[in-house]
Amino acid sequence: MSSGTGAVAGATDAVAGRTDAGSSGGMGYLGPAGTFCEAGLRRLDPEAAASAWPAPNVAAALEALREGRLEAALVPFENSVEGSVSATLDELIRGAPLVITGEVHVEVEFALMARPGTDLSSVRRVATHPVAHAQTRDWVAAQLPEAEVIPESSTARAAVLVAAEVYDAAIAAPLAAERHGLDILVSGIADRPGAVTRFIRLARPGHIPPPTGADVTTVVAYLRRNHAGALLELLNQFAMRGVDLVRLESRPTGEALGQYCFAIEALGHLSEPRVAEALAGLRRVCAEVRFLGSYARADGAPTRVPEEATSTAYSDSRDWLASLTSSRPGISR
């Protein structure tokens, strides 16, 4: 097995791919190639995936997008086991504004892969990302009790280094085996099958996808001042208008210790009166509200709207209010 500097250097070049986003725009994603993010991009936009730029990290992807070197970028946002991806959320909270225009869910399926001809019994050194190891630790302990697990910067890099004969095997996404000419020795090795990662497609402000009836709206709310009931004021803006929240998370603003903002996700689209009114109310009680987008949910589940919160109900109430100042006032029914 070769573990010399030449093999490692060559593998590093292979996993890095293109290091700079093109100047003509296009799509970017959190690289390197062969990761779950690439798998998500292939599902969301197969045509764009063919020429997309694998960014070295989330910050680089979003910087290229903000500077106009990319038209859109796909990055991880949430995992059903690990929770929020803080690198992405913090970039959206603190950086120049970006908006979410779509999302895709990818089941996180880990596989043990090796060079062709490798037998499971001969695996002694396994490389993977620490997060992947955390989700496969029980399987490795039971099936490869004598193996040494070496942390790498990504599961895709681990696969490349296996192809370069630096390690015996890698734990990575099945796509990495296809990308780097490896055989899958065992598939489906996650300790908790069915884990899902949510990836979001980001763009510069200016485009809001049309409503589909199965939408989600994402915002970040910054408190005007911290006081008793401040969070309740935020939540009431949605509750009194029949808007269901599916996610609420506090994050430090980075300005001072104890100063937090709230990432909020609500079912519905900005074009719906109930959602628009909720956001307007939120803006009145907050120092700032950052709109991160209204877009179709990946699961396509239609939003159930209470009768009193439908667009028709809002239209009827506006008509009634207008009638009060007319020559023939209406009667509330």
Side-chain angles (χ1 to χ4, degrees):
M1 177 176 64
S2 171
S3 58
T5 57
V8 174
T12 299
D13 291 342
V15 75
R18 292 153 51 203
T19 56
D20 295 309
S23 59
S24 59
M27 189 80 180
Y29 67 96
L30 176 61
T35 58
F36 293 108
C37 195
E38 185 191 8
L41 181 55
R42 285 187 174 192
R43 183 180 305 175
L44 185 66
D45 193 340
E47 185 175 344
S51 58
W53 175 58
N57 51 58
V58 170
L62 301 194
E63 179 184 11
L65 177 58
R66 287 174 171 128
E67 293 178 352
R69 291 181 285 122
L70 292 175
E71 289 302 318
L74 190 75
V75 293
F77 196 47
E78 185 180 6
N79 179 269
S80 61
V81 175
E82 306 261 328
S84 294
V85 178
S86 58
T88 299
L89 185 53
D90 289 345
E91 277 286 332
L92 295 178
I93 287 172
R94 300 168 189 166
L98 294 171
V99 294
I100 305 168
T101 60
E103 67 174 20
V104 61
H105 295 173
V106 176
E107 186 170 344
V108 181
E109 178 187 354
F110 293 108
L112 182 74
M113 57 196 66
R115 294 180 296 280
T118 302
D119 186 80
L120 185 63
S121 61
S122 66
V123 173
R124 293 291 179 267
R125 304 181 76 215
V126 180
T128 192
H129 188 275
V131 172
H133 182 211
Q135 296 188 55
T136 57
R137 184 178 288 111
D138 292 345
W139 185 92
V140 172
Q143 302 300 322
L144 298 170
E146 303 299 323
E148 177 188 8
V149 179
I150 299 98
E152 277 296 342
S153 58
S154 71
T155 56
R157 175 176 166 81
V160 169
L161 292 175
V162 170
E165 302 186 18
V166 177
Y167 304 119
D168 298 325
I171 295 173
L175 178 59
E178 175 189 328
R179 275 276 191 177
H180 306 299
L182 302 178
D183 285 349
I184 293 180
L185 301 183
V186 187
S187 60
I189 65 173
D191 298 331
R192 295 181 63 179
V196 173
T197 295
R198 176 187 176 198
F199 296 91
I200 54 173
R201 180 179 57 204
L202 292 163
R204 292 181 295 281
H207 170 67
I208 299 177
T212 66
D215 305 291
V216 62
T217 294
T218 305
V219 298
V220 178
Y222 299 78
L223 293 178
R224 190 178 302 279
R225 63 185 181 280
N226 188 21
H227 63 275
L231 178 58
L232 183 60
E233 287 181 355
L234 270 63
L235 299 179
N236 275 339
Q237 303 306 317
F238 297 95
M240 68 178 60
R241 296 172 176 92
V243 179
D244 186 19
L245 299 186
V246 291
R247 188 161 174 248
L248 174 67
E249 180 175 352
S250 64
R251 294 294 299 170
T253 62
E255 296 177 358
L257 188 65
Q259 291 190 12
Y260 288 83
C261 58
F262 294 90
I264 301 171
E265 294 201 301
L267 294 183
H269 193 276
L270 180 63
S271 64
E272 298 176 52
R274 66 193 183 96
V275 176
E277 192 174 282
L279 295 190
L282 192 66
R283 181 63 184 86
R284 286 195 296 272
V285 300
C286 290
E288 179 187 352
V289 176
R290 177 169 290 200
F291 176 72
L292 294 182
S294 285
Y295 48 96
R297 296 172 58 185
D299 59 14
T303 302
R304 295 184 178 181
V305 181
E307 183 179 354
E308 65 275 13
T310 63
S311 296
T312 299
Y314 270 84
S315 177
D316 288 347
S317 63
R318 284 195 301 268
D319 290 345
W320 171 77
L321 190 62
S323 74
L324 298 181
T325 57
S326 69
S327 57
R328 299 169 59 187
I331 299 175
S332 175
R333 290 178 291 177

